Structure formats: structure tokens, C-alpha cells
Amino acid sequence: MNQFRKTLLGLSTAVCIMGLTAAAQADTLKIALAGPATGPVAQYGDMQKIGVMAAIEDINKAGGVNGMMLEGVIYDDACDPKQAVAVANKIVNDGITQVVGHLCSSSTEPAADIYEEEGVLMITAASTSPSITEKGYKMVFRTIGLDSLQGSMAAQYILNTAKPARVAVIHDKQQYGEGLATAVRDQLAENGVKAVMFEGVTPGDKDFSALIAKLKKENVDFVYYGGYHPELGLILRQSAEKGFDAQFMGPEGVVNSDLAKIAGDAAEGVLATAPKSFDQNPVNEARVAAIKAKGEDPTGPFVFTAYAAVEVMTDAMEATKSTDSEALADYIRSHDFDTAIGKVKYDEKGDLTESTFLVYRLHKDGSKTPAE
Amino acid sequence: MSEFSLYLLQQLINGLTIGSTYALIAIGYTMVYGIIGMINFAHGEIYMIGSYVTFIVIAGLLGMGMVSLPIILIIALVVAMFIASTYGWTIERVAYRPLRGSNRLIPLISAIGMSIFLQNFVVLSQGSRDVALPPQITGGWNFGDPSVFEVSLSYMQVLIFIITFISMTLLTLFISRSRMGRACRACSEDLGMTNLLGIDTNKIIALTFIVGAALAAIAGLLLGLYYGVVNPFVGFIAGLKAFTAAVLGGIGSIPGAVLGGLILGVTEAMTSAFFPSEYKDVVSFGLLVLILLFRPSGLLGKPEVEKV
């Protein structure tokens, strides 16, 4: 027991001294890291933490920013909008002016209001809801693409790469699927490609033989499906059985290893738009190795978007030689950044001009590779 | 043949396939209604359980290294029919028999409760995600000029037709020729009188649930193999469709259930064929409303029709 107390005392003394030295040097810059550290989606918060901490470590190793060392401070909002507001106020009171976060769109939205008012720079690495940047905020940015970008990305791929003769657009009549399908159809139409079919299926349905016979009769050679994997899996499986071999394409909602379980061999070669796997990018090889060396997982979808968020902030600080968040926000909006997720450039609203999604080809073993 | 007629033929095949399985499930509804005048709302869940048992047995036998597909299917069919029948018998015992003679609404509610219970029981024990089985019976016949329109008839579809036909024939023979079948017919005519004449009506009612459940298990096996996917919620939609088929054909009449199932299946396929497929259910259920308006007893639901 005594031994334990001694250790405890020693530890706390060490912490005090460290704190004192930090204060004495006064060249530490705190970056708040807001997201769920607890609660049901804490694993996403971990991804963000892994990315931010890795970025801070790398930057500090390279001498810090403008002679200051970075320090990441974790604030837990548990992905709860009420806690997110409390956390945002606490960050403001603690005098921190740069935030990476929040994670869940529902938390990011109310928190963004507070940061905008208090002049705190916020970059979210995970929130994809379009409404966050629709209010004309000055201080709010992202390092992740919007859900709605997937539709236009798919349409571009169909127009420029796949170039099919007859396209059908099928959806599951739900907000996500029909929204994407409509976006694809409209963008194809704008470019002079008219979808020969635009139809909905009922989610939970098991029999698509009538639909497939119709696709076959219309000589369709490319099908875009807006929806999730259970229905697409069955459509693929039944298409194979009925000798209908068109190229299928879907959104992120179909990218799931269950697709291959349901469709079997028919899942081979299906196209899908999905967030880029930045850990596969050779540029990030050293970073991936460093994260793995710490025993952490670099493959999460938000690890490198969080890494990039820190890079954008620190690049702006170095270029402007200041930590004034208003100046930083102006700089970020008007400049390009070279980050772990590639070139980053912002539009007026604070959204990325280029999507962080990529077209992938899915395989029957559940893996995916970038489409040619 | 022209493209149109080939396309029509293809959609007819699709419609008859799905219609046959609606018919198999619909018989369970119609038999129970014919005898005790009640709707067994837990019947769709029996179908779902039949599918799950099939999947588990097939996956288990394949895992044990058995290769002969016909033997695997026969074992799966027997096990699924046995387990589903046990569930059918238990439902009657737990949710119907204690309530016999009470207000008709009460067993109806207890059957809905049973349905919710079974669904959640499967969610808890098997998980709520789709369970998939790799295709077991592949291939089929293709005919028609490929440059015009190729009609495909898969072996699986043929198997569905054959098994449905055999089951229907056996059931008809059972009802019309056997002693038990005669007792069933007597019960459907007058339950009280049959009881007075010394027939154990409780046993006959239990038998009805068992036979209905066994047929639902056959449908579970066939559709499970055909689609290759099952989840705990398939029973609800399938049950609703089969119930519609039973009402369409005239509830209480076995030929009516078969006819209703086929009509429903073909209507769905034809609607999807010539209109956007989201109108499929609108048209099928619209048809149901129309038939009920002009023929409230259903297509074959006349009093002189043999009821079970």
C-alpha cells in the first residue's frame, strides 16, 4: 500500500512539474479534439483520436508550429447533441481556439453554432450532413466529402468511364437510395444520357424476377442501384440465375461484406462509390507504420481525415504566422493544402471541392479495389 | 415468337413460381379458418422458422461433408416439416386451445402476440441480419431466340412447381380419402355436432395446425433455396401476401387458396412487367379490394364448395 502511495505521489509530482514547465515555456498550443470517447459510437471517436494524435506527434517531431509544440486535449461529447453544446462551451471557456470535431453530424451542428459565434476554428473530420455548412458559417470546415457527392461522382463515372449503351436507375424508395438515384438520373440527363428505366423496389422484398425480366427486355447494360446491400445482393443473385449480365453500381450503402454473402459469385465486379481508403495510399506508408507501431488501427475511415484536419490547421498557422482563428479561417478558405488525404481545397461554404469518395470495384471475397 | 409474347411468357413463369409458394402458405390460413373460423396470424412466422431450419440443416450437413444434394434436401425437408409442425401444434396448444369458446377477437389477439413473440425469439437466437445460403440448385433451360428475348426457366422454378403440385395432390387425397380427412371435413361443417358424434375435435384441430405448418415449412424450404436469403422478418410479408391469397380465393376453400395464390403471383409479375414495379403491391391489394366488394366470399368461397 505504502509503495503504491509513493508511486502515486511521484506520479502526481511529475505531472505537476510537467504542467509547470509547459506553463513556464508558454509555447504549447492546445488543439481540442471533440467527439465520442464513450457511448455506443466510441470506436469512431477512437479513429479520430488516432489520426489527430498521430498528426500532432509528427508535427512536434518536426519542430512544432511557429516554434510552439502542439497538445491535443480530448473532450467527450458521447455523440449526444446536448453534451456537444456543453463541450463546445467548455472549449471556449478553456480558451482553445482550434477544434477538430465533432464527429456525429447531429453533434457537430449545434456545436458549430457556438464556435462560429465565439470565433473558434472548427474542422470536422467525419460529419457528412450537408446542412452543417449551409448556414454560411465562416469558421466551419470539413476534411470529408458530403453524402450527396456520391451521386454526381457515380454519374461522372458512368458518363466518362463506363459509357454504357442503355442505363437503368433503380432505387429502394427510401430517402438515402432514392435521393442518390435521382441525383444520378438527373446528372445523366443533363449530359444527354437518358436512363431507359427509373424504378423503385420495395425494401425487404425478396423476388426481383419480374424487374430483372424487364431490365433484360430493355437491353439494359448498366444498372445504378440507390439503396443498401440486402436488396442489391438479391438482385445480383437473381440476375445471374436468369442470365442477365449488366454492370451494376451502387453507393456506399452496398459496400458491406454481406453483399458477397448474399450474392455469392455474382458480387464480383460490382462498382460502388465509397470513402477512399487513405491507409492504402503509398504517401501515407510511414504514417500507417507509425500508427501500427503504437498498436493502433490505421484503417478506420476517419483516421486520415482527422490527420488532415490537423495538417490544414497547422499549415495555415505557419503560413499566416499567427494563431488568430479568423485569419486562419480566411487563409484556409482561399488556399490549397497538401495533406494525408491528398490536395484539399475549400469552396465558399467550407466544403471540400473534391470528393473524398472513390469508385471501387467489389469482389466476391468481400474486398474492394479502386476501379480502373 | 415475338419479343412481346416471349416476355409475357417469362413474366408468367415468374408469377406462377411466386404464386405457387403463396398458395402453399395460404393453405395453412384457409384450413385453420375452415375449421375454427379464425385467422392464425402466427402462420407467417412458421414459414420463416421453416426457412431458418432448412438453412441450418443444409449448412450443417454440408459442413459435415455430405455431398449428395437430393439426400441433403430430403433431410432438410423432413427436419423443417417436423420442427415447423411442432411449432404449429404448440401455437394451437398455447394460443388457441385455452381460449376456445371465448370471444373471437381474443384468440386473434393472442395469435398476433404469438407472431411477435416468435419473430423476436428468432431475432434473439439467430440475429436480425440476413442469413445467406450459397445457391444449391443452379442452371436451367433457356429458350427463345437470344437476339430477341431469351426466356429462362431455372431448375429451381421447376422444382417449386413440382413440389407444390405434389403437396397439393397429397393434401387433396388426404382430405378426401382418409379417415382423418373425413373427420376434418366433418369438423369444418359443424364442429359441435362432430364432437357429439364421438370424434375428438381437439385432435382434429391440432392436426389442422400441424398440416398447415408442414406446408408452410415446405414453402420455407423452397423459397429459402430460391432466394438464398432469410431474415426474421420475412414471415410477416409472406404471411400477409398468403393471407391475401386465401381471402382472394375464398377463405376456407383449399382450391380457392391455390387459385388465389396463383392469381396474386401472376398479378404481381404482370404489374411489374408493364408498370413501374413500385405499383406491384398497389395493384395486388387493389384487386383484393375489388374482389371483396363484388364477391365478398372470394372467388371460390361458395357454401357448397368443400371446406376444410
Side-chain angles (χ1 to χ4, degrees):
Chain A
M1 195 63 190
N2 242 343
Q3 188 61 40
F4 176 69
R5 274 204 189 136
K6 263 187 202 159
T7 327
L8 206 66
L9 194 69
L11 269 175
S12 46
T13 320
V15 168
C16 282
I17 293 168
M18 275 162 68
L20 279 174
T21 45
Q25 286 173 342
D27 58 358
T28 303
L29 180 70
K30 284 183 179 168
I31 292 181
L33 173 54
T38 59
V41 290
Q43 77 265 32
Y44 291 121
D46 281 345
M47 294 174 191
Q48 182 174 266
K49 191 185 96 192
I50 292 168
V52 169
M53 291 309 178
I56 288 176
E57 211 166 275
D58 288 353
I59 290 163
N60 284 346
K61 248 184 233 159
V65 182
N66 299 337
M68 290 180 292
M69 289 292 142
L70 296 179
E71 185 193 340
V73 188
I74 296 170
Y75 290 86
D76 178 19
D77 70 1
C79 202
D80 170 16
K82 288 196 286 287
Q83 284 198 47
V85 170
V87 160
N89 283 320
K90 188 155 193 308
I91 290 172
V92 171
N93 285 339
D94 291 350
I96 299 179
T97 53
Q98 284 87 24
V99 180
V100 176
H102 295 220
L103 193 110
C104 300
S105 292
S106 52
S107 294
T108 310
E109 229 173 311
D113 250 342
I114 295 166
Y115 298 135
E116 176 74 15
E117 222 163 80
E118 302 292 338
V120 172
L121 176 68
M122 183 200 102
I123 304 182
T124 173
S127 299
T128 52
S129 163
S131 61
I132 293 167
T133 46
E134 267 165 9
K135 294 175 191 159
Y137 290 142
K138 292 234 160 352
M139 314 298 291
V140 173
F141 298 90
R142 325 182 199 234
T143 46
I144 192 158
L146 302 185
D147 270 343
S148 50
L149 287 175
Q150 284 189 75
S152 80
M153 183 151 203
Q156 287 307 323
Y157 185 86
I158 296 170
L159 289 164
N160 302 330
T161 313
K163 293 183 187 142
R166 292 172 71 80
V167 187
V169 178
I170 310 294
H171 59 83
D172 65 356
K173 298 193 281 191
Q174 297 187 75
Q175 192 187 7
Y176 172 73
E178 188 168 359
L180 284 168
T182 313
V184 169
R185 179 195 61 183
D186 292 348
Q187 196 157 350
L188 289 178
E190 274 168 30
N191 291 284
V193 175
K194 198 178 172 317
V196 291
M197 267 171 72
F198 182 75
E199 280 195 27
V201 298
T202 309
D205 231 353
K206 296 274 172 276
D207 192 276
F208 299 102
S209 54
L211 176 77
I212 292 162
K214 197 160 47 171
L215 288 166
K216 212 164 136 185
K217 178 174 153 272
E218 294 286 343
N219 289 319
V220 166
D221 62 346
F222 193 100
V223 180
Y224 182 82
Y225 179 76
Y228 297 98
H229 65 276
E231 287 79 26
L232 181 66
L234 283 171
I235 293 176
L236 290 170
R237 183 173 175 147
Q238 291 170 23
S239 294
E241 278 162 14
K242 309 221 175 297
F244 170 65
D245 58 341
Q247 174 67 54
F248 283 84
M249 184 173 194
E252 190 198 350
V254 309
V255 185
N256 185 316
S257 55
D258 278 0
L259 181 79
K261 275 193 207 132
I262 297 169
D265 291 352
E268 181 64 40
V270 171
L271 295 164
T273 46
K276 283 179 193 162
S277 5
F278 300 108
D279 57 302
Q280 303 289 327
N281 191 334
V283 177
N284 293 326
E285 211 174 311
R287 294 165 180 146
V288 168
I291 293 170
K292 275 190 182 152
K294 285 193 282 178
E296 288 169 333
D297 175 20
T299 60
F302 307 132
V303 171
F304 282 99
T305 53
Y307 192 104
V310 178
E311 282 183 306
V312 168
M313 279 177 183
T314 51
D315 283 4
M317 286 176 205
E318 276 187 344
T320 56
K321 300 269 174 241
S322 97
T323 52
D324 175 52
S325 45
E326 306 251 345
L328 292 178
D330 285 341
Y331 183 85
I332 291 172
R333 190 161 271 116
S334 55
H335 288 80
D336 293 3
F337 298 88
D338 211 4
T339 69
I341 61 167
K343 267 250 178 300
V344 165
K345 192 172 162 40
Y346 287 96
D347 64 7
E348 257 317 290
K349 294 192 299 176
D351 288 332
L352 295 179
T353 49
E354 265 176 55
S355 168
T356 53
F357 287 92
L358 195 66
V359 179
Y360 282 95
R361 203 171 270 284
L362 309 181
H363 301 291
K364 60 184 172 192
D365 59 358
S367 65
K368 63 179 196 287
T369 49
E372 62 287 349
Chain B
M1 276 200 276
S2 72
E3 184 187 13
F4 179 77
S5 51
L6 285 170
Y7 178 58
L8 204 64
L9 180 66
Q10 174 75 76
Q11 294 293 19
L12 193 67
I13 293 172
N14 294 341
L16 288 174
T17 311
I18 183 143
S20 318
T21 51
Y22 286 162
L24 276 174
I25 310 174
I27 283 177
Y29 282 103
T30 228
M31 281 177 70
V32 168
Y33 185 87
I35 290 187
I36 52 173
M38 281 165 199
I39 308 293
N40 177 14
F41 270 106
H43 192 62
E45 314 313 329
I46 299 285
Y47 152 77
M48 177 266 292
I49 287 171
S51 262
Y52 264 99
V53 173
T54 307
F55 275 44
I56 293 168
V57 171
I58 292 181
L61 290 177
L62 286 174
M64 279 156 59
M66 195 176 271
V67 282
S68 162
L69 193 61
I71 296 177
I72 291 179
L73 291 186
I74 289 168
I75 295 176
L77 185 67
V78 171
V79 176
M81 283 171 75
F82 177 75
I83 293 182
S85 299
T86 314
Y87 273 98
W89 179 80
T90 315
I91 289 174
E92 196 271 335
R93 210 50 204 259
V94 173
Y96 280 92
R97 192 173 295 186
L99 300 168
R100 196 160 302 145
S102 56
N103 186 322
R104 286 179 75 158
L105 218 53
I106 295 168
L108 184 80
I109 302 293
S110 79
I112 293 175
M114 202 69 204
S115 156
I116 296 171
F117 169 82
L118 288 176
Q119 202 179 80
N120 286 283
F121 164 69
V122 176
V123 168
L124 288 174
S125 59
Q126 302 291 329
S128 61
R129 291 165 70 186
D130 283 10
V131 179
L133 193 71
Q136 301 296 323
I137 300 169
T138 50
W141 294 281
N142 289 316
F143 47 94
D145 186 354
S147 63
V148 184
F149 185 82
E150 204 177 22
V151 177
S152 77
L153 175 63
S154 66
Y155 297 143
M156 192 61 223
Q157 284 175 315
V158 177
L159 188 73
I160 290 177
F161 295 140
I162 294 174
I163 294 191
T164 307
F165 180 75
I166 294 175
S167 317
M168 296 298 173
T169 316
L170 288 179
L171 180 71
T172 313
L173 285 177
F174 171 75
I175 298 288
S176 60
R177 299 288 161 84
S178 72
R179 278 178 71 88
M180 289 274 228
R182 197 162 62 206
C184 282
R185 280 180 289 149
C187 282
S188 95
E189 239 158 61
D190 192 331
L191 201 60
M193 191 63 201
T194 314
N195 206 3
L196 283 180
L197 289 174
I199 290 170
D200 186 350
T201 48
N202 273 338
K203 218 162 126 192
I204 299 299
I205 292 169
L207 179 78
T208 319
F209 275 86
I210 288 170
V211 171
L215 289 171
I218 296 175
L221 173 113
L222 292 175
L223 281 187
L225 286 175
Y226 186 45
Y227 299 139
V229 172
V230 63
N231 63 46
F233 314 105
V234 293
F236 177 73
I237 299 170
L240 200 65
K241 290 276 170 71
F243 176 59
T244 309
V247 174
L248 198 66
I251 193 149
S253 149
I254 288 178
V258 178
L259 185 70
L262 295 179
I263 290 180
L264 191 67
V266 172
T267 311
E268 282 187 358
M270 290 302 164
T271 313
S272 305
F274 299 107
F275 300 97
S277 42
E278 51 255 59
Y279 289 102
K280 185 173 83 173
D281 290 349
V282 176
V283 174
S284 334
F285 288 98
L287 182 77
L288 176 72
V289 171
L290 280 181
I291 288 187
L292 287 181
L293 279 177
F294 295 105
R295 270 191 84 89
S297 54
L299 290 174
L300 300 182
K302 282 177 280 183
E304 63 267 28
V305 168
E306 172 187 273
K307 293 202 299 180
V308 170

